[in-house]
Amino acid sequence: MTQPSFQAQRDQLRRGHFIRVVNYHSTPNSAREELAAELAGFARDYAPVTLEDLDRLFETGTWHKDKPGLIPVFYEGYRNSATVAAPLCDELGLTGWFPIATSFVECDPEYQEAFARAHWISLVEEDTRGGRIAMNWDEVAALSQRHVVFPHTAHHEGFDTALSDADIQREVVDSKRALEAVTGQEAPAFVWLHGSSYGQSPLHDQAVRDAGYRYQFANTMIHRIN
């Protein structure tokens, strides 16, 4: 991987050669018009970022599009990510990035509200009006055909609570296998609860590397792992 100098990075930022990451959680239908307007503004001013685009940036150290890139990230695996956010991205030509808490998706809809409240998954009133809160696996598979899906652990855990070998296996490895089995594609990235950075725990960093992830998303950066 090419490592550009600090001056080169400054020059690229001045020219708009960068990627902006914008994080979302629940995207209820009641806020669809607000989200549509925001994403439309991004689509006007930024270029979509596919997985191939991100790979190219890390391999060359140079952003290759005329506009800076945009990665809209829709966390957790809410049903409305599939029914509201993804269709808006499709309409606007944006590539959405969807980190999925796989056990949330696997949870029986009857218990999804309880699961969410027990695992730091925020809910708005619309989420709790009955019915399914999380995506199902068919929706995850469909998303993977035009967007990027990857694990946000299994149980929406942070590295500070996934402490045993069994915890790490479930949150880091099994979540990847579950997504790959459904999508038929490599799960390229991983993200902990709270967006913890790579480099905070050698044990957990090793688990992410061993699982074969290329990227770890964090609150302040995207880390290239492998």
Side-chain angles (χ1 to χ4, degrees), residues 21-43:
V21 179
V22 181
N23 293 336
Y24 297 93
H25 294 273
S26 184
T27 55
N29 191 61
S30 58
R32 186 185 188 281
E33 294 308 311
E34 181 181 352
L35 179 63
E38 184 166 291
L39 291 177
F42 287 140

Side-chain angles (χ1 to χ4, degrees), residues 10 20 33 46 53 79 104 114 130 138 150 153 219 222:
R10 291 181 62 183
R20 180 176 182 179
E33 294 308 311
Y46 294 86
D53 291 330
R79 183 182 186 180
F104 185 35
D138 288 341
F150 55 101
T153 76
N219 284 334
I222 301 171

Side-chain angles (χ1 to χ4, degrees), residues 142-208:
L143 273 182
S144 73
Q145 299 304 307
R146 58 191 193 279
H147 300 286
V148 184
V149 299
F150 55 101
H152 187 21
T153 76
H155 285 69
H156 203 227
E157 295 282 347
F159 79 91
D160 55 339
T161 56
L163 302 176
S164 70
D165 289 346
D167 290 342
I168 293 172
Q169 175 72 28
R170 180 186 65 242
E171 303 302 328
V172 178
V173 180
D174 292 347
S175 59
K176 186 174 192 286
R177 291 175 177 169
L179 274 184
E180 291 176 344
V182 167
T183 66
Q185 303 176 28
E186 175 197 10
F190 180 80
V191 56
W192 290 107
L193 173 63
H194 307 311
S196 300
S197 297
Y198 187 83
Q200 295 192 62
S201 165
L203 175 66
H204 295 83
D205 292 348
Q206 186 66 51
V208 171

Side-chain angles (χ1 to χ4, degrees), residues 6 17 24 35 59-60 70 81 90 101 114 119 129 137 142 148 174 189 195 208 225:
F6 179 67
H17 293 180
Y24 297 93
L35 179 63
E59 288 164 3
T60 66
L70 178 81
S81 290
D90 291 335
H119 293 90
R129 292 177 184 166
W137 284 123
V148 184
D174 292 347
V208 171
I225 307 301

Side-chain angles (χ1 to χ4, degrees), residues 72-95:
V73 185
F74 302 94
Y75 276 90
E76 274 84 78
Y78 294 95
R79 183 182 186 180
N80 56 40
S81 290
T83 60
V84 177
L88 286 174
C89 288
D90 291 335
E91 291 173 18
L92 295 165
L94 294 170
T95 299

Side-chain angles (χ1 to χ4, degrees), residues 100-141:
I100 307 295
T102 55
S103 291
F104 185 35
V105 173
E106 290 173 344
C107 184
D108 187 313
E110 182 179 355
Y111 304 109
Q112 285 177 356
E113 181 177 349
F115 181 97
R117 296 192 185 282
H119 293 90
W120 297 84
I121 296 175
S122 299
L123 301 175
V124 299
E125 182 181 353
E126 188 177 308
D127 293 324
T128 64
R129 292 177 184 166
R132 181 163 50 86
I133 300 173
M135 298 183 204
N136 60 35
W137 284 123
D138 288 341
E139 289 166 332
V140 173

